[in-house]
Amino acid sequence: MDQKSEDVPEKIPSEETTKGTDESGNSNQSMDNEDDLGNTNEIEGTHLSEKEQKSLEIIRKLVDEEGNVSRTLMEGNLLYGELGLTDIQMYNLVTSLENKDILKKIQLTDGEYYHFTP
């Protein structure tokens, strides 16, 4: 049983690094990684996964002057763009960003949009 409890922290460091915590004593490594990604994290006030950060970069390029982005345009770029997400991955990502109040679904006269508030 001792070996299993030692194996668990070895499998988690990648998750711990994304969370910014590292119980195995590699705090410098996790802090360095967080500093590299920290600009987005500081702006958001919440922690974002690597995919969420990459998706925010993509969404920022698509947003108009008012902070709105077409739902179909955004979802198409997430599905078929550089991230190449599956349908369920895209749905989970958008839902996560909605839960973190980064995206808000709105209805405009010409279709469904998301309001982007980083």
Side-chain angles (χ1 to χ4, degrees):
M1 285 196 176
D2 291 335
Q3 290 175 346
K4 287 183 182 179
S5 64
E6 290 176 9
D7 289 341
V8 172
E10 291 177 8
K11 293 179 184 177
I12 299 177
S14 62
E15 292 176 21
E16 290 174 348
T17 301
T18 60
K19 292 181 182 177
T21 60
D22 191 351
E23 297 174 5
S24 63
N26 295 330
S27 60
N28 289 341
Q29 180 184 3
S30 66
M31 292 305 290
D32 290 342
N33 289 342
E34 182 145 344
D35 287 343
D36 293 341
L37 306 173
N39 294 341
T40 305
N41 290 346
E42 290 174 14
I43 293 171
E44 306 305 333
T46 185
H47 183 72
L48 301 173
S49 70
E50 187 177 330
K51 281 191 180 184
E52 288 172 331
Q53 290 173 1
K54 288 179 181 180
S55 70
L56 288 180
E57 293 172 16
I58 293 169
I59 295 169
R60 279 190 178 105
K61 295 175 186 175
L62 302 173
V63 172
D64 65 11
E65 308 83 38
E66 297 171 357
N68 298 329
V69 60
S70 167
R71 182 187 68 100
T72 54
L73 178 65
M74 183 188 75
E75 290 177 356
N77 275 274
L78 294 175
L79 287 170
Y80 306 113
E82 65 183 73
L83 287 180
L85 302 176
T86 64
D87 291 341
I88 192 72
Q89 288 174 325
M90 187 271 310
Y91 172 80
N92 288 337
L93 179 79
V94 170
T95 302
S96 175
L97 293 175
E98 284 180 303
N99 290 338
K100 293 177 181 179
D101 293 327
I102 296 170
L103 290 177
K104 181 180 178 185
K105 193 180 290 188
I106 59 173
Q107 182 72 38
L108 298 179
T109 56
D110 61 340
E112 294 180 6
Y113 283 76
Y114 286 99
H115 185 70
F116 181 67
T117 55

